[in-house]
Amino acid sequence: MSKEMLKMTEVTAGYGEKKVLKGISVTIRQGEFVSLIGSNGAGKSTLLKCVSGLLPAESGEILLCGRDNRVLKPKERARLAAVVPQSYGVEYAFTAEDVVAMGRYPYQGFGRHESGADEEEVRRAMEVTNTLEFQNRLYNELSGGEKQRVILARALAQQPEILLLDEPTSALDIHHQTEVMELITKLNREQGLTVLAVLHDVNMASRYCGRMILLKDGRLAADGEPHQIVTKKNMEALYQMKILIRENPLFHKPEIVPIRVLREKRAGRPLRVHVICGGGGAVKIIEELDDRGYELTAGVVNMGSGDCEICRYLQIPHVEIPPFTPVTAKDQERNLALMEDAEVILVSDVPFGRNNLENLRGLERVKGKIFFHKNALSGDYTGGSLVKRLQELGEQKQICYFGDHDEFLGMLQKLSGKEG
């Protein structure tokens, strides 16, 4: 088993009478890349301050590379752990190289000038972080991304065992965020550097970190691999909002898609609504109907489509078929069974071709009112069969045509009564 780089046991810490960390116990081993996530005030930055010695723990024990953090001298601790803050400002005309050279402080005695070994480590750190090209430029004239790479180089010049990062990408654009995170990942993988990073961006933490620790109200709420932490339950509790969880198809890591904070008004009487959909045109209306409290079912959808994914996520009963396959008579019977008790049948903004025209067979015998999105007519690839089918259906049941989903929601509101 790999070496324990950081071990915290029942650590409590805070500021004055305010307790921020409340009995935190966690162990991080050599070579791990761990992210700390949580809402503002959860204790993430406070935890880093305790490890780095900026804030003494009130109780509990912190072992840094097996050594008691309380008895370590500042220079001893700096050789074990290096901190990369959110930002770093200097008041004097220091060059980028000057700032990186400050990382050699733990190895220098009083009044001692830089040695050849110091210069070599500074150069190595700047090469690794791609900052050597502007070593003679003034630090304060660098861009945000360049500054952050210089601060990372300064931390590496300390030759630490563990790297502590406090929201290292919070002030950067997406290009420089990715650049910094890719660089840290490279150091972790190629040099075996242990990394503990406070990250606000859960998607970034999930993508780059092999392990995530969730703090809530100063306590350990969850600890595990990304797929164990980035769950609907954890993320909605963390952000207090409705969130969609999906797997990133490129990185095969879970990611969050924020949906809404403000809830829709609940329907006065939650009608039973069946949605005939396909592709991804009904994702928004399905989510809104669910949020308003309507009882939903859905028709035949292709696996992998947006409509299929939202039905899975919201656990809406539906009929799934493989992509690019026609709706069979058996599929339609299952569809009709789902809409049997529906009070409203919504034909959403869905293109119709010969493969899915079967969705409309048998609607004459359902009891629900039929609402049809006019956009589906502009997506008619049936060679006229769709119009003919609607004419046949219209002879036996009234079809209410509407132009957009807001218009449909207004119609639905009238049916369900005044919204609460």
Side-chain angles (χ1 to χ4, degrees), residues 159-350:
Q159 296 178 272
E161 297 285 335
I162 183 170
L163 192 62
L164 306 174
L165 302 110
D166 191 1
E167 298 180 35
T169 62
S170 62
L172 305 180
D173 60 37
I174 191 169
H175 172 92
H176 291 102
Q177 287 178 12
T178 304
E179 180 182 43
V180 169
M181 291 304 294
E182 286 180 346
L183 180 55
I184 295 168
T185 302
K186 183 178 180 180
L187 292 168
N188 169 252
R189 291 177 179 173
E190 295 183 1
Q191 299 185 17
L193 184 62
T194 306
V195 181
L196 176 61
V198 171
L199 295 172
H200 260 310
D201 189 329
V202 170
N203 289 343
M204 187 167 287
S206 175
R207 173 180 170 181
Y208 290 104
C209 303
R211 177 181 168 194
M212 301 173 70
I213 294 175
L214 172 60
L215 297 184
K216 185 176 182 181
D217 298 326
R219 302 183 187 278
L220 185 67
D223 182 353
E225 296 179 0
H227 73 272
Q228 297 172 312
I229 306 302
V230 185
T231 64
K232 183 176 185 292
K233 179 181 178 181
N234 284 341
M235 295 300 101
E236 290 195 345
L238 172 60
Y239 291 109
Q240 296 297 301
M241 62 182 295
K242 194 171 185 179
I243 286 174
L244 170 67
I245 309 293
R246 65 185 183 190
E247 181 178 284
N248 185 296
L250 183 59
F251 306 112
H252 302 292
K253 294 291 187 71
E255 63 182 13
I256 65 172
V257 179
I259 297 178
R260 64 172 75 247
V261 174
L262 301 178
R263 310 295 290 189
E264 293 286 352
K265 292 181 179 179
R266 306 292 284 183
R269 184 174 74 86
L271 299 171
R272 293 185 296 277
V273 180
H274 182 83
V275 185
I276 294 176
C277 51
V283 170
K284 188 174 186 295
I285 189 65
I286 288 174
E287 188 279 322
E288 286 194 19
L289 290 171
D290 176 77
D291 207 58
R292 291 172 186 241
Y294 291 102
E295 298 177 28
L296 298 179
T297 55
V300 185
V301 292
N302 293 113
M303 299 174 185
S305 67
D307 292 345
C308 181
E309 291 302 314
I310 194 68
C311 287
R312 285 182 177 181
Y313 174 72
L314 297 176
Q315 299 181 332
I316 295 170
H318 61 286
V319 181
E320 287 188 19
I321 62 174
F324 310 112
T325 57
V327 178
T328 65
K330 185 177 180 181
D331 296 329
Q332 181 59 5
E333 288 306 316
R334 294 165 62 199
N335 187 14
L336 289 168
L338 282 175
M339 71 176 83
E340 183 177 3
D341 295 326
E343 297 164 272
V344 171
I345 311 298
L346 166 63
V347 182
S348 65
D349 182 3
V350 54

Side-chain angles (χ1 to χ4, degrees), residues 102-132:
M102 295 175 187
R104 297 303 298 166
Y105 168 76
Y107 301 92
Q108 297 170 351
F110 180 75
R112 177 183 169 188
H113 296 291
E114 291 181 19
S115 65
D118 291 331
E119 293 175 356
E120 183 178 338
E121 285 302 323
V122 168
R123 184 176 184 83
R124 183 192 64 83
M126 298 191 79
E127 286 177 344
V128 168
T129 55
N130 298 318
T131 54
L132 197 59

